[in-house]
């Protein structure tokens, strides 16, 4: 946690339980304030540590951590740990390091962010990052914070090479060739970062030649100044509304460095410091080290920094843990209120800590407490833990609350069969559903697409009197639409007396899902006329299936007028819409102007160029931006290579997919590769890939690609083999028969073509 504004310890009595009960009102007042007030989010204290390999920054980081208690995050160590973890990024990171290149920013930042969020700290020492301007910009955008201090350990190249070769840590990148590559990359890419922070007044250049202690003497004053800043900012009663800014920190660091530069002058320095303190009592226009806080030109007025809700929650739990360790009994209502707070903040790890503090027998017998814990686990996706709590509840049938939470947890994870099974168990045990049960169950019905189950739930809704509940009726519309009965969905929709945005969006997406573009446009117009705005999901859905370019442009204009055209899902859908209607230039412009992009954005623009060499250019840009491609990315890329006849590029991308990103090929990838080889006339390579190179049996996609290639090149022999397999896999697909007939016809084998025609007639297919 970064700062603390409240402590639970004074609120919890170490005396008898009766005294604790008398304090309950005070406790709840604090907890309610904690839950309802919006605190200004405090930022962590971040230090960047820059320097080439072998500059000694790792050693100095260890001393900084030992002396000042910062949490050390080494970008290099995090990357190397990821290499050995067999994760999806491992091979990519290893190959990039061996080539002396920079690992994609998104990968490194995600590793750093994961570590920052998992530890209970507010002060971080980030070692070896950022190493480029792109790193720096990405870090500030993703983390949402700038560094407070930037240390640069300046060391000659020959000294760094010697240190790395002598450290003998067994690292894969500790060899002369790789070291020199890394130093060249560091100098080229890290210098702009160093210059940037120097201009912002945040850079502290450290001469990294000398003994460890000599170097640390340069570092120590900087963090000593930070300590003073923290002390002053944490004592508002002494400082009022005054806090030290970075200029003051820099001024103070300089003074401390002067005072620490000579041990032989220690007495004189101490005397000088004492004189400075005395002067500060009468002179308020200057600042001296260790002076009593008072208004000065180096201090600016601003509001004190408050805790975030999550930080305050962690502080309360920490005090609670200490109190319980000291043998103090905690009232049940405190546990209950804290679990409620965890649920609202989605703070699952805090909830787990509270769970460990609750006595097991109390949890079993108190249905309210266990229900809140169950809801927390289920809402955060921990359905196994939620079900464990559910199984241990002694009176879980007292209400539908616990059942609803667990059903919702399963439904949100897409475990629809489990959600429905729980609903049926609920009926068997005689627990009556409520208005919150049915929307969750109906979502599960829509997920499995079994309409007769949904109809049975609908009958229960009518029987229990929820037939006019808007919340339930919206869920019914969505369920019927997903289960394929758009007529019943429309009928329920017209029964809703007070429609809201959910009602309209459910009906709109239902029409789109069934290909009813005219009806969808009509409901869209009605929705706007009645003052309802379609959400991003509805707009994205209608844009993805709009058959008229004119209509798509009108929807785009509406989005612009309402300022939502750059919503990520809408922008992605617009790129798809324009490219699908042949307006690739417009799609490119939209992609270029997008303020943010995700994997869907990159896949959309690459797919838009699936028959254009530009697809490969966009993939290179994607990698440089640090975005991680997925299965869909490579399907589009390999498809582009197949259409363009780029065999070598296709083989290279296929290798990058498997070995660089660790993506296991799916049927579509194999189909693209067979199409690639087949269109190029490389039938041996295509056939060998199917027979020997696939991890599973080839399906119609793969054999169909081979058959089509045989048609293009007139290869009768391989075409017969592919057709035979397709006749087994797709006995009713007349397209395969017609292709083989054309192959025979083009080869002049008219009798064989007639034989295939007879086969089609025997199977009842049109010839």
């Amino acid at each position: 946690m970064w700062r603390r504004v409240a402590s639970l310890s004074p609120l919890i009595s170490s005396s008898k339980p009766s005294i604790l009960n008398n304090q309950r009102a005070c406790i709840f007042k604090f907890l309610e304030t904690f839950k309802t007030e919006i605190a200004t989010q405090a930022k962590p204290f971040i230090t960047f540590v820059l320097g080439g390999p072998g500059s000694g920054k790792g050693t100095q980081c260890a001393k900084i951590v030992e002396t000042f208690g910062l949490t050390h995050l080494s970008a290099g160590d995090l990357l190397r740990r990821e290499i050995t973890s067999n994760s999806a990024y491992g091979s990519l990171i290893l190959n990039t390091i061996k080539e002396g290149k920079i690992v994609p920013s998104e990968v490194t930042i995600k590793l750093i962010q994961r570590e920052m969020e998992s530890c209970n700290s507010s002060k971080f020492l980030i070692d070896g990052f950022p190493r480029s301007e792109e790193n720096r910009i990405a870090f500030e955008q993703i983390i949402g914070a700038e560094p407070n201090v930037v240390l640069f350990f300046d060391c000659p190249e020959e000294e760094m090479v010697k240190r790395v070769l002598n450290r003998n840590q067994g690292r894969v990148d500790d060899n002369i060739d790789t070291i020199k590559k890394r130093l060249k990359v560091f100098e080229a890419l890290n210098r702009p970062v160093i210059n940037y922070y120097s201009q912002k007044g945040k850079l502290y250049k450290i001469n990294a030649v000398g003994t460890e202690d000599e170097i640390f003497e340069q570092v120590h004053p900087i963090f000593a100044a930070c300590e003073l800043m923290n002390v002053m900012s944490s004592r508002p009663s002494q400082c009022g509304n005054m806090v030290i800014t970075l200029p003051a920190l820099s001024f103070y660091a300089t003074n401390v460095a002067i005072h620490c530069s000579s041990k032989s002058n220690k007495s004189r320095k101490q005397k000088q410091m004492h004189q400075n303190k005395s002067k500060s009592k009468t002179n308020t226009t200057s600042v001296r080290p260790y002076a009593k806080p008072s208004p000065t030109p180096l201090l600016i007025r601003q509001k004190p920094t408050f805790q975030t809700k999550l930080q305050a929650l962690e502080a309360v739990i920490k005090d609670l843990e200490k109190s319980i360790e000291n043998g103090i009994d905690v009232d049940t209502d405190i546990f209950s209120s804290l679990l409620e707070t965890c649920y609202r903040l989605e703070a699952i790890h805090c909830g787990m800590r509270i769970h460990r503090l609750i006595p097991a027998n109390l949890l079993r017998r108190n249905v309210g407490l266990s229900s809140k814990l169950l809801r927390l686990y289920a809402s955060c996706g921990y359905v196994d833990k939620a079900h464990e709590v559910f199984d241990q509840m002694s009176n879980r049938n007292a209400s539908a609350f616990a059942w609803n939470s667990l059903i919702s947890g399963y439904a949100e994870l897409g475990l629809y069969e489990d959600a429905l099974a729980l609903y049926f168990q609920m009926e068997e045990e005689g627990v009556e559903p409520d208005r919150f049960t049915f929307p969750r169950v109906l979502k599960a019905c829509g997920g499995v697409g079994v309409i007769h189950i949904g109809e049975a739930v609908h009958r229960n809704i009518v029987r229990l009197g929820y037939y006019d509940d808007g919340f339930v009726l919206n869920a019914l519309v969505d369920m019927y639409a997903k289960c394929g009965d758009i007529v019943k969905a429309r009928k329920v929709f017209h029964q809703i007396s007070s429609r809201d945005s959910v009602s309209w969006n459910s009906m709109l997406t239902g029409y789109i899902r069934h290909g009813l573009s005219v009806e969808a446009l009509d409901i869209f117009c009605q929705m706007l006329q009645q003052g309802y705005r379609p959400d991003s999901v509805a707009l994205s859905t209608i844009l993805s299936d709009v058959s008229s370019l004119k209509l798509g442009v009108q929807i785009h204009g509406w989005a612009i007028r309402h300022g939502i055209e750059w919503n990520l899902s809408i922008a992605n859908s617009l790129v798809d819409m324009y490219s699908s209607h042949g307006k690739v230039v417009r799609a490119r412009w939209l992609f270029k102007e997008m303020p943010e992009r995700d994997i869907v954005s990159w896949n959309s623009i690459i797919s838009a160029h699936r028959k254009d060499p530009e697809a490969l250019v966009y993939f290179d840009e994607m990698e440089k931006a640090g975005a991680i491609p997925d299965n869909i990315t490579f399907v589009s890329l390999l498809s582009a290579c197949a259409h363009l006849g780029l065999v070598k590029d296709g083989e290279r991308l296929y290798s990058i997919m498997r070995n660089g990103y660790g993506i296991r090929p799916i049927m579509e990838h194999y189909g693209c590769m067979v199409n690639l080889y087949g269109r190029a006339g490389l039938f041996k390579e295509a056939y060998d890939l199917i027979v020997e190179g696939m991890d599973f049996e080839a399906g119609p996609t793969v054999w169909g690609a081979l058959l089509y290639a045989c048609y293009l090149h007139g290869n009768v022999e391989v075409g017969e083999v592919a057709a035979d397999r397709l006749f087994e896999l797709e006995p009713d697909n007349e397209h395969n028969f017609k292709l083989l007939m054309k192959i025979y016809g083009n080869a002049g084998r008219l009798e064989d073509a007639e034989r295939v025609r007879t086969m089609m007639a025997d199977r009842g297919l049109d010839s």
Side-chain angles (χ1 to χ4, degrees):
M1 69 201 80
W2 299 335
R3 285 190 56 209
R4 296 177 55 181
V5 296
S7 174
L8 187 61
S9 296
L11 301 177
I12 300 179
S13 172
S14 58
S15 304
K16 297 180 181 180
S18 59
I19 298 177
L20 189 143
N21 290 334
N22 291 337
Q23 295 178 334
R24 185 179 302 168
C26 178
I27 296 171
F28 282 148
K29 181 179 180 181
F30 163 74
L31 291 173
E32 286 302 312
T33 302
F34 168 77
K35 288 187 291 184
T36 56
E37 288 187 351
I38 299 177
T40 303
Q41 182 170 356
K43 296 289 185 181
F45 185 91
I46 297 175
T47 299
F48 283 161
V49 183
L50 306 179
S55 61
K57 60 183 183 297
T59 302
Q60 293 301 314
C61 284
K63 296 178 76 68
I64 294 169
V65 169
E66 180 182 2
T67 307
F68 297 102
L70 278 75
T71 298
H72 182 203
L73 302 178
S74 168
D77 289 344
L78 292 175
L79 291 169
R80 282 184 285 273
R81 188 173 71 188
E82 196 71 12
I83 290 173
T84 60
S85 69
N86 296 321
S87 71
Y89 299 153
S91 298
L92 167 67
I93 295 170
L94 179 59
N95 292 335
T96 305
I97 291 176
K98 283 185 175 180
E99 293 173 7
K101 297 179 181 178
I102 298 294
V103 174
S105 300
E106 183 180 350
V107 176
T108 308
I109 294 170
K110 283 182 178 178
L111 298 178
I112 293 173
Q113 187 178 37
R114 183 175 65 189
E115 292 296 313
M116 290 178 69
E117 291 175 349
S118 65
C119 65
N120 187 24
S121 176
S122 63
K123 300 183 295 183
F124 299 97
L125 195 67
I126 300 178
D127 172 11
F129 193 89
R131 295 185 61 197
S132 69
E133 274 290 275
E134 193 270 330
N135 281 174
R136 177 189 66 77
I137 294 169
F139 180 92
E140 294 177 3
Q141 289 178 344
I142 295 173
I143 303 298
E146 293 186 1
N148 302 79
V149 173
V150 179
L151 298 181
F152 170 46
F153 289 87
D154 190 19
C155 188
E157 180 177 330
E158 57 271 21
E159 178 66 18
M160 289 190 283
V161 172
K162 182 176 69 174
R163 289 178 182 177
V164 172
L165 292 176
N166 291 337
R167 67 188 179 188
N168 192 28
Q169 294 180 349
R171 285 165 41 173
V172 296
D173 51 341
D174 283 357
N175 59 77
I176 187 67
D177 293 332
T178 302
I179 294 166
K180 289 186 176 180
K181 285 182 182 178
R182 290 165 61 203
L183 288 172
K184 289 180 181 178
V185 171
F186 172 80
E187 181 60 25
L189 297 182
N190 212 232
R191 184 60 57 182
V193 178
I194 294 168
N195 293 338
Y196 173 83
Y197 286 124
S198 177
Q199 293 172 3
K200 296 200 72 173
K202 294 185 176 184
L203 186 78
Y204 294 85
K205 187 175 180 180
I206 307 297
N207 181 8
V209 178
T211 66
E212 295 177 7
D213 291 337
E214 288 172 348
I215 297 171
F216 189 65
E217 281 186 5
Q218 303 173 61
V219 176
H220 187 281
I222 299 168
F223 289 92
C226 298
E227 288 291 293
L228 179 65
M229 183 180 70
N230 288 336
V231 169
M232 293 181 69
S233 62
S234 64
R235 295 180 180 176
S237 60
Q238 296 179 13
C239 301
N241 290 331
M242 315 301 290
V243 295
I244 295 181
T245 61
L246 277 175
L249 171 62
S250 178
F251 179 87
Y252 174 75
T254 303
N255 278 275
V256 175
I258 293 172
H259 287 292
C260 296
S261 61
S262 174
K263 294 182 180 179
S264 62
N265 291 328
K266 182 177 179 181
S267 298
R268 185 177 61 83
K269 300 300 181 184
Q270 290 176 341
K271 182 178 180 181
Q272 182 65 43
M273 287 166 55
H274 177 72
Q275 292 174 351
N276 288 338
K277 289 182 179 180
S278 300
K279 290 179 181 179
S280 67
K281 294 179 180 179
T282 57
N283 183 5
T284 61
T285 62
S286 61
V287 175
R288 295 292 184 271
Y290 307 111
K292 181 180 179 181
S294 58
T296 77
L298 296 176
L299 305 179
I300 63 171
R301 292 184 179 272
Q302 63 182 37
K303 294 181 179 180
T305 304
F306 295 97
Q307 287 179 301
T308 64
K309 291 182 179 181
L310 185 59
Q311 289 173 308
L313 175 62
E314 289 174 343
V316 171
I317 295 173
K318 186 175 181 179
D319 282 340
L320 195 65
E321 289 170 338
K322 290 181 180 178
S323 299
I324 291 175
E325 286 178 6
N326 294 330
I328 300 172
D329 292 330
V330 178
D331 191 87
T332 303
D333 291 333
I334 295 177
F335 288 129
S336 180
S337 186
L338 288 173
L339 287 174
E340 180 72 22
T341 302
C342 291
Y343 169 72
R344 296 183 184 278
L345 297 180
E346 298 180 353
I348 182 62
H349 295 294
C350 290
M352 289 178 173
R353 289 170 62 185
I354 296 170
H355 185 183
R356 289 192 289 268
L357 300 177
I358 303 174
N361 59 344
L362 172 62
L363 197 60
R364 279 194 300 270
R365 70 172 184 265
N366 191 306
V367 65
L369 193 61
S370 54
S371 294
K372 287 191 175 183
L373 179 62
L374 185 154
R375 179 184 59 173
L376 173 65
Y377 279 133
S379 66
C380 293
Y382 289 71
V383 290
D384 290 338
K385 285 188 172 293
H387 216 128
E388 287 178 10
V389 176
F390 182 76
D391 290 337
Q392 294 172 7
M393 292 175 64
S394 59
N395 193 22
R396 67 189 185 197
N397 294 344
S399 73
F401 183 87
W403 295 85
N404 293 345
S405 299
L406 197 52
I407 291 172
S408 178
Y410 280 122
E412 289 298 323
L413 289 177
L415 302 172
Y416 303 122
E417 293 85 356
D418 294 315
L420 291 173
L422 198 61
Y423 171 70
F424 295 135
Q425 182 184 348
M426 183 180 183
E427 284 188 326
E428 291 175 2
E429 296 191 17
V431 182
E432 186 171 290
D434 58 22
R435 66 185 297 263
F436 300 105
T437 309
F438 292 114
R440 294 165 169 84
V441 175
L442 290 169
K443 179 176 182 177
C445 292
V448 297
V450 182
I451 194 167
H452 70 270
I453 297 178
E455 289 172 334
V457 176
H458 191 175
R459 287 192 291 271
N460 282 343
I461 290 170
V462 175
R463 179 176 59 84
L464 294 172
Y466 295 109
Y467 51 85
D468 59 351
D469 187 296
F471 189 44
V472 175
L473 291 176
N474 285 341
L476 275 170
V477 172
D478 183 66
M479 182 274 294
Y480 279 124
K482 288 179 178 177
C483 289
D485 197 333
I486 195 66
V487 175
K488 284 189 176 178
R490 181 166 51 201
K491 183 178 179 180
V492 174
F493 175 76
H494 289 304
Q495 290 177 358
I496 304 175
S497 56
S498 300
R499 300 182 186 124
D500 56 15
S501 295
V502 177
S503 315
W504 291 98
N505 286 322
S506 297
M507 199 66 237
L508 177 62
T509 54
Y511 279 134
I512 292 295
R513 192 178 291 114
H514 286 78
L516 302 172
S517 301
V518 175
E519 290 81 356
L521 179 59
D522 180 62
I523 205 78
F524 182 73
C525 294
Q526 290 183 44
M527 184 177 185
L528 297 180
Q529 290 170 1
Q530 297 195 24
Y532 292 98
R533 287 178 52 171
D535 60 15
S536 60
V537 175
L539 278 177
S540 300
T541 303
I542 196 170
L543 284 169
S544 65
D545 197 57
V546 66
S547 58
S548 166
L549 176 61
K550 182 179 179 180
L551 176 59
V553 172
Q554 289 175 340
I555 295 173
H556 186 187
W558 184 88
I560 292 174
R561 289 194 300 274
H562 289 80
I564 59 173
E565 76 274 22
W566 297 124
N567 174 281
L568 190 54
S569 63
I570 294 174
N572 288 338
S573 297
L574 285 169
V575 171
D576 277 334
M577 187 271 293
Y578 281 115
S579 61
S580 65
H581 286 89
K583 302 296 182 181
V584 179
V585 175
R586 182 65 175 172
R588 288 180 185 173
W589 181 87
L590 277 169
F591 179 81
K592 182 180 178 181
E593 296 299 318
M594 288 175 67
E596 61 173 326
R597 299 169 184 151
D598 60 5
I599 183 63
V600 177
S601 313
W602 289 103
N603 287 345
S604 297
I605 197 65
I606 290 173
S607 178
H609 294 82
R610 57 188 175 275
K611 295 184 180 180
D612 190 310
E614 282 292 311
L616 277 63
V617 176
Y618 278 110
F619 177 66
D620 290 339
E621 292 181 8
M622 179 182 183
E623 287 195 304
K624 290 176 183 177
I628 305 300
D630 60 8
N631 281 323
I632 299 173
T633 313
F634 285 102
V635 169
S636 297
L637 289 168
L638 295 175
S639 178
C641 291
H643 281 93
L644 297 168
L646 304 175
V647 176
K648 294 298 181 183
D649 285 314
E651 291 176 332
R652 176 179 61 84
L653 289 168
Y654 183 73
S655 176
I656 290 173
M657 179 188 74
R658 297 199 67 164
N659 303 321
Y661 290 99
I663 297 175
R664 184 179 178 184
I666 58 177
M667 193 72 73
E668 286 78 4
H669 296 134
Y670 288 121
C672 289
M673 289 302 294
V674 170
N675 192 23
L676 174 73
Y677 287 131
R679 284 174 177 265
L682 302 173
F683 290 99
K684 183 180 184 303
E685 288 81 353
Y687 187 77
D688 288 346
L689 177 63
I690 296 175
V691 176
E692 300 176 3
M694 292 184 61
D695 298 331
F696 44 83
E697 288 293 325
T701 301
V702 177
W703 287 111
L706 184 60
L707 180 62
Y708 183 73
C710 292
Y711 160 70
L712 291 178
H713 292 276
N715 191 316
V716 178
E717 181 181 0
V718 178
E720 288 177 327
V721 175
D724 285 342
R725 293 306 306 271
L726 285 168
F727 295 163
E728 295 176 8
L729 295 169
E730 297 179 319
D732 298 326
N733 189 340
E734 63 183 60
H735 176 71
N736 299 326
F737 291 90
K738 289 181 178 180
L739 267 181
L740 184 58
M741 287 172 59
K742 290 179 180 180
I743 293 172
Y744 281 138
N746 293 337
R749 296 171 55 171
L750 301 181
E751 291 183 1
D752 289 324
E754 187 60 32
R755 176 173 54 83
V756 176
R757 189 186 305 277
T758 302
M759 290 175 58
M760 291 181 66
D762 292 341
R763 300 190 184 199
L765 303 175
D766 294 334
S767 59

